[in-house]
Structures are given as structure tokens and as C-alpha cells.
Amino acid sequence: MPSPTASARRPFSTVITILLAVLAALLLPVGAAQAAPAAEDCVGVTEGRYTGTLTTAGQTHCLELPSPKGARIAALTSLGGAGLTVVVEVVDSKGAVQCTEGALGLGDCALTGTAPFRALVRAGDDTETGSYGVHFVRTDIVQNGCQVLPAGSFADDKGAVRLETGNGVFSHCLTIPADAHSTSELLRIRYGFPDDTDLFPKFVLSVIATDGSGPDCYNHPAPGQQLRTDGLTSCSFAAGAAYTVLVRGQDAVRTHTLDRRDVTATAPGCAASAATAVGAPATSGASGQNGTLRCHRITTSAATDRLRLDVRDAHDSTHLLIMDGNGGIACHQKSWACIVTGSTSYQVVTQVPQDWSLPDSYRLDAWRIATAAGAAPECTRAGSVAHGYGPLTGTLSAERTAVCAVLPSVSGDRFRATVTATDGGARTPRPAFYSKAGTDLCTGNSSPHDCSAAGESLFVLPLPDGADRTAYRAELVCTTAPCGAEEVSVGTVTPNTAQSGSVATLTVTGTALGMSSTVQLTGGPAPLTATTVSVSDDGRTLKATVDLRTAPAGIWNIRVTVLNSSYSGGTLTVTPPPSSGLGTYKPITPTRLMDTREGLGVPKAKVGAAGTVTLQVAGTAGIPAGATAVVLNVTATEATAGSFVSVYPNGTTRTSASNLNFTAGQTIPNLVVVPVVNGKVSFYNHAGSVHLIADVAGFYTTDGSGSTYKPITPTRLMDTREGLGVPKARVGEAGTVTLQVAGTAGIPATGVTAVVLNVTATGPTAGSFVSVYPNGTTRTSASNLNFTAGQTIPNLVVVPVVNGKVSFYNHAGSVDLIADVAGFYTTDGSGSSYKPITPTRLMDTREGLGVPKAKVGEAGTVTLQVTGAAGIPAGVTAVVLNVTATEPTAGSFVSVYPNGTTRTSASNLNFTAGQTIPNLVVVPVVNGKVSFYNHAGSVHLIADVAGYYTS
């Protein structure tokens, strides 16, 4: 409800009796001079109740009043019921009219003429006769006959006064002592609805100051009530002034209960709490009964803070009335959210009005949505709203009651907000779109909503009434695109070369780019349209994939279309496809090929920021010139800064795919399957400087001399903690355990040349490394896992099988080891061949690439479509993915498994809160998809494909 105008905020008694006053003014002469009644014709009366009888039609009674000149009086008459309805006016001794019915009913009749003063009483209908009553009250002094209306507390109803009418009683007077009230109070009158509904109930409440000024009162309408059975009135009182409260009703059996409460910052019984961040858990309260008042004092650090106050319950029935620190009305009674500012404390009074559905409890949200410095810092700041914002997905609950974002909109922007409950819930969050002035510019009670901007906007999506939890999807679409201050522009498109037979990722830079933007290549037999996969939050970087598997070599022209306007993006040179086809695997004894600490394979030096080293692999360690890919265990050590390393085919453009992620000082390995171009592979370091080590485990060749791969359901073969596969004991310093792999978990007893194992070290007592090597051979210097004391870390291992077994060596301390098998290589020709591809990012939950843009929550699963992406054909049996976990909120593990199958106990990544860690995964493909399961907390996941297996 808007604040009342000056004309609306007249004394409360005037507000609720204005119709009666107008009627009285029409019926009675005002200020007319007439002959004064003779003294012998008047009956002297005292202040209080007087009863008389009109015996003839048209009769007027004269009652001489004891009130002196300068007094103010009330003359209250019945509003119905038993007895005669009469009209009263007061004249002085000379017959000059002092007051008519309206002023007398309100209690502010000032006697300014010549005493004595007389009340003239006549029937409202001149034809009627009978008994009547008039209640005379002096209002310029405190009356002894008026009982005190005590101050109450929000903690109880002990201060309430019960007033009865009927049997000749139709009015009451009460007093509020000068020293017993605050400067702002809430008066509450409860009206007992009678059984005799033939007489429509009515009453009038008037408050008058002894000095005649009268308080500034405002009646808060009870929503949806024809009869005001539980009314609230806010009054501002002057310090040191006493007040008279008049209740005028009917001469009928009725009950009125009246109480008052301080609503300033000192209000008794008002529970205090501080304003919270947006989306913080709410304060809970018990509803009590219909009409029960509760009070919450919400404090904030500065009067310039802007708060959003809202009360939620199962029925959307609880109303709130908000006062500022001085007791002034900050928000009128209503059942939806209110934005307030200008005070450091607010008294929030809650109530479920009569006849509204009564919930057991309610929840009060008190969010600080802005300060003098701007919008709440916990709200995400969007980089661009040129095309809109979102989609956002997630879950609102009692722990996270809202999400919010600061949008760089400008005046005139318009958005269509579509919000759905993705869990099938009946209640859908209603978005709010707040201007800097705190006005919600979203309209509509159901999705889609129309939202406007008046400059920068604060988008808030709150938990709806009556819902304890709801999963949501929300998206804002700019309907006046481009929204925001930026105009559309297109800058560079990279890379400028790509290989035929591949799926290339194009990066477009510019401004006001969006997911609806398109990238098209022309110049070949038919145009090629790229698929837009992601756009940066600021709208300045767009990534799109273009399928070049059938594209002929040549120069293609690039056009970028944004909002129906086309821009040149330069050219793309498509080079001929690689000559290598599907390959088979040849394991070799793990051999160290590169160590920058010693100058092995490359110069002796750390790899610096944005630095690259290139390693010759063909012709070394038995790797032939025709090898299509190599399997390397790459280790980063002695890093000076947090960074990542990408291993990629020499002579090609490096993509966004990464292989190792590490922090300063960390030593971490990861298995890499990388295509070989020019007989070499390259290693790129992003930041700081780092030493790199590479141990080769095998290679792929197209001459058919190698083994084919058979993926199996990930299965745990070894766990030293439980005695699975090996004795139940930690592997000690310089200790070795040997695991039988042939003939177990579907691995044949013969013909197996190598197995793919995800090996995890856990609970180490000292920093150490583990080497996994063929049983019966001499262990080399190659390592597979490096760890510190107490660390849990996995790594994928492709290890040759000799004697049907593999061995595990621990260098220092003691450690528990776990091994999960993912597949094996066989010489019987029944497996799949390998096709290396340019490392390509298929999934990034941070950007919504491949899967929805959202962290994977506790016990959550996301499923990635791999066939049809990055040139992976239908029918593949397995894919090789480098999977990275980042920004985890808790220690957890991730399992990558074939979609459509039951997940086993095998895991692929283990991490602690805040850690970023990668691991190579070889996962079978079912339904063209693979699934990713997170055990605890929430985490972002990234997956880069290196190749695939196909029959």
C-alpha cells in the first residue's frame, strides 16, 4: 500500500467516521442563529451517560451541560440497536451553534460561545418516539470516569481492556496518561462478531489529545474483511500529552477488546535480530491464533542501507506491518515483500488477520540488498545483459533462501523472465527486479514475468511461500536487445587454421555477443554453421564448434551474425586431414623420456610462464616413426605458482584443453594420451615456472601390430585397506605388492598385454612416490604417483602385464593403495582400435558447456553426450577423457562411468575442499554418453577428450 497523502493522513477518528460526519452535516444546520432555549425548558445533566425519552413526534430535548467555556466535549450516541437513534447539536446560551453531530461524535467539539451550553436532542426520524441515550465526555481534561488503557507488550496480551455494550450501554471512554506512552504506538481493537446478524455491526474509535491537537493516526485496513473484527491503527503521540480514547458502538450485546503497544525501537517484547545477507536462513516464528501480533526488531548498520523484508508461510496468509526506529510507518500492512530504508532499526509486526487461513508458523526474511556503496556484495555481478541473463539452475532451501545478481542494465531495457520449478513443485519462485530506488519492476503473478529496468538492476529469486525446497531454472531474455550500455561489435576469430577431419573450436571476441549469435563458414561446397557452445559472462568471448570432418581443405570465409546483423570474422584455413587411421596399442617398459631438472630429452631448465618445450618421442625408447599417439605419465614439480600444463601434438594449434593443474610447490602427476605430429609432442605451462617429467608407458601404431582395447565396467581389483587382491597391510618403505590381474573381473587369463588401472594412494605417512610396473621385470626410474604425507591422490596407469600380474612399489613411509580396472589390451583382435584426436574440451560446468551451467551437488550426477561431439562417431566403445575437478566445497570423490549402467565403488578423482585436480579416465561409452557422479559437497567438473576407441 502506498503512503497516505496529506489528505488521507487526517486523525484516525475522522478517517473512519467521515461518512457519518458528512451525513450529520447534511442533516443539521451549521452556525445558524436561533433563539436560545429558556433555562426553565432545559434539564441539567452531568458528564457521563444520560438517558431520556421523546414522547411526541418532532420533540426536541434541551440538556444543559456543566461544561465551561473553552472546554471540549464529546456527545456520543448509539449507532444502532436498542433505543431511539437521535441527533445532537450543541448551542450556547444565545442559541449560537457550537457543534453538530460530526464534531460531537469525534470528541473535538470546542465550546467557544457564552455559557451555559445546551445540547439539543431530537430523533433522527421526526416521526419516531422512545427512549434514547447520550454519553457526554470532557476531552480537554483527563476524566476520572474513563479507565486507563494500559501499555501492552508484544510478549503477551496482559494490557488488553475488554469493553461490553448492550443494555443501554453503547460507548466507552479510556485515557492514555501523559507519562505512559511512547511517541508512536499501535492500537488494536478486536470486535466480537455477534450472533444477531440482523443488525450489521459497526463502531467508531476516536483518539483526542487534551490540548486539542489530536494524534496523527492511520487505520490499517484488514485485507479482505467487510467487517473490521481485528483492526490496527498507528498513532503518533506528542510527548507529555494525555489522550482520551472513545469507543462508540451500538446498544446491543457486543464485545470490544482494546490494547496498545509501543512500536518504536524500544518496543517491549519485540525480538531483535540483525539484517542478513541475501539468501541467508530466515528467522522463524509461531503464528499463534488469527490476529495474534508478533514483533521482530531488525537492525542494520547504517540508515542508508536498503532492506528487503518479507514473511513467508505455508498459506501466504501472514501480513507484515513495518515501522522505522521512530515508529513511523515504513510499510503498510500487506502479505508481500517490502523494501525499506532511512533507519537503522525496523519493527516488523506480523499477523494473520481474521478469516485468513492460519499456518502453524512463518519465516521472516530480512535481507540487506544494498548499502550506500551499492548492491549487496554477495550478489553476482553480471558482465553483460545484452541478450539477457542466465539460464540459472539450482535449488532454493531453508539454508539458501534466494539467489541474486547485479545486472548492468540501463533505463528502457525490458526482459522476459521465465522461471520453472524443475523438480515438479507446485510453487514457483517469483523474480524481483529492483531499481536503485528499491522499486520492484517485475510484473505478473506467473511465469513468464515482464521486467523493466531503470538503470542498474538487482535481480532476486527468492524461495516462494509454502515451499521448504525447490529446484529452479530461471532465464531473463532481453526483449529490446541489445540491453545494457554496450553495442554489438565483432573483433577477432581464432584459430585461423584447423585440420580437416576434426571438430574445431572457434573463439570469437567482441561485445554484446550471445548464445543466439551464429558463426558461419562459406567458400566450400556448402556453408558450414558452427554450434555456439558458450559465451563469457561479459559477452565478450564466444566459443563455437564447427564440424570439419567432411570439409575439404582450403580457405573458408567466416561471418558472425549477432542480432540479425552480420560481421566479417576473417578466414579459416582448413588443412588436409592426418594420414594416420585407427591404431592399436603397444605397451613398453615404463621409461623416462623427459626431465627438465636434468636436461633429459629437453634443455635443463624450468618451463616458464606461457613457455613451451617440445619432446622428440618417435625414435626413442622403441617408439617407431609411425606412432600416432603416445601414453605418457607427466609429472609437474617445484612449481612457483598455481598453473596448468597442456600437452598437445607438435605443429598444431594448442586448444583450451589442459592436462595438469597444480598449486605453488605441489608435485602432481597425470597420465596423458597425446597424438604425435612430426614425431614430437609439446608441453605448455600457463603461469610461473615448473619442472616437468614424462615417462612413456606405450604408443599407438596403425600397422596393426599392436593390441586392441576392451573396456570393462570399472571394477575394484585391489584395496590394501581391506585385503582385496593382496594381503591386508600398508605397503611399507621400499615395499612391493603384486596383483594378479589376468583371469579376474572379466580379464582373460591369456593374451592380455596391458591393463588400464586407476591407482589411488591414501593415508601415506610420508612424502613418497609409487611405481606400477610389469611383474617379473626390473623396475625403472619411472613413477606413477607422487604424494605428500596424509594426501589422497589418484592417477591412471596403463601398465604392461607380465605373468598375468602387475607390481606396485612404494618409495618411502607406508601407504594404502587402491586399484580400479577400466579395461585391458588383448592380442586376440577382439577389442577396439584407438583414434587420437586434437585435445578438445567437451564439458565445463562453469560455462554450461556440454551440460547445464551449475556445480555438481552432493550425490549428484551429470551426463555428457560424447558421440557426435568433437568428431567422435556413433558406436565408439570408450573415450579417453582428462577430467578436472575444481572449486569443490568439501572433500569428495568423483566416479566416471558408462551411462545406463549401475555405478560401482570405483572412483577416478579424489580431492579436498578448494583443491583443483585432474586425472585421465578411459571410460566405456553406453548410449553415446558417460556419467559423472560427485559424492559430497559441490564441485565444478571439466572434461577434455583426447581420443576414442572403436571396433
Side-chain angles (χ1 to χ4, degrees), residues 490-497 506-509 519-523 554-560 566-573:
V490 172
T492 61
V493 179
T494 56
N496 51 26
T497 62
L506 304 178
T507 300
V508 182
T509 62
V519 181
Q520 191 174 62
L521 278 63
T522 59
I555 298 177
W556 295 71
N557 297 311
I558 303 174
R559 299 294 298 180
V560 181
S566 182
Y567 304 85
S568 172
T571 60
L572 176 70
T573 300

Side-chain angles (χ1 to χ4, degrees), residues 433-660:
F433 214 68
Y434 293 114
S435 67
K436 286 189 175 181
T439 304
D440 181 7
L441 298 177
C442 270
T443 61
N445 292 322
S446 60
S447 182
H449 306 265
D450 291 322
C451 303
S452 302
E456 182 180 86
S457 303
L458 177 64
F459 172 68
V460 178
L461 192 68
L463 184 66
D465 276 275
D468 293 324
R469 188 179 187 88
T470 183
Y472 65 87
R473 183 185 187 278
E475 183 173 16
L476 295 171
V477 175
C478 173
T479 57
T480 54
C483 289
E486 286 189 327
E487 297 296 330
V488 175
S489 68
V490 172
T492 61
V493 179
T494 56
N496 51 26
T497 62
Q499 196 172 67
S500 178
S502 68
V503 175
T505 298
L506 304 178
T507 300
V508 182
T509 62
T511 54
L513 304 175
M515 288 296 294
S516 61
S517 305
T518 58
V519 181
Q520 191 174 62
L521 278 63
T522 59
L528 300 176
T529 300
T531 301
T532 301
V533 295
S534 68
V535 177
S536 63
D537 183 63
D538 60 6
R540 297 191 173 198
T541 304
L542 177 149
K543 291 186 181 296
T545 59
V546 59
D547 190 345
L548 302 176
R549 286 175 295 179
T550 60
I555 298 177
W556 295 71
N557 297 311
I558 303 174
R559 299 294 298 180
V560 181
T561 302
V562 186
L563 297 175
N564 299 319
S565 295
S566 182
Y567 304 85
S568 172
T571 60
L572 176 70
T573 300
V574 178
T575 59
S579 59
S580 59
L582 298 175
T584 54
Y585 183 67
K586 300 197 75 169
I588 58 178
T589 301
T591 305
R592 184 148 294 174
L593 294 186
M594 182 180 80
D595 191 336
T596 62
R597 301 171 302 179
E598 300 179 0
L600 176 62
V602 293
K604 181 179 180 180
K606 280 187 170 182
V607 184
T612 301
V613 293
T614 297
L615 174 67
Q616 177 72 39
V617 293
T620 63
I623 303 171
T628 58
V630 288
V631 178
L632 301 173
N633 194 66
V634 181
T635 303
T637 188
E638 300 178 28
T640 61
S643 181
F644 66 85
V645 163
S646 294
V647 187
Y648 61 101
N650 174 252
T652 67
T653 302
R654 180 178 58 84
T655 67
S656 60
S658 63
N659 299 94
L660 286 91

Side-chain angles (χ1 to χ4, degrees), residues 887-892 911-916:
E887 301 177 30
T889 60
S892 180
F911 44 83
T912 57
Q915 185 180 20
T916 295

Side-chain angles (χ1 to χ4, degrees), residues 709-735:
Y709 179 69
K710 298 198 76 170
I712 59 177
T713 301
T715 305
R716 185 147 292 175
L717 294 187
M718 180 180 80
D719 192 336
T720 62
R721 302 170 301 180
E722 300 180 359
L724 175 63
V726 295
K728 182 179 179 179
R730 295 165 71 87
V731 184
E733 183 169 337

Side-chain angles (χ1 to χ4, degrees), residues 342-397:
S343 182
T344 56
S345 71
Y346 300 89
Q347 288 65 252
V348 181
V349 179
T350 65
Q351 182 193 52
V352 179
Q354 201 71 29
D355 299 330
W356 284 68
S357 181
L358 181 68
D360 293 331
S361 61
Y362 62 88
R363 290 172 179 160
L364 175 65
D365 295 317
W367 301 331
R368 185 184 295 105
I369 64 172
T371 67
E378 63 270 18
C379 298
T380 302
R381 286 195 167 268
S384 172
V385 289
H387 299 259
Y389 182 68
L392 304 176
T393 58
T395 300
L396 298 176
S397 65

Side-chain angles (χ1 to χ4, degrees), residues 645-648 657-661 670-672 882 884 918-919 944:
V645 163
S646 294
V647 187
Y648 61 101
S658 63
N659 299 94
L660 286 91
N661 298 72
N670 196 20
L671 197 69
V672 176
N882 193 66
T884 302
N919 198 20
D944 301 319

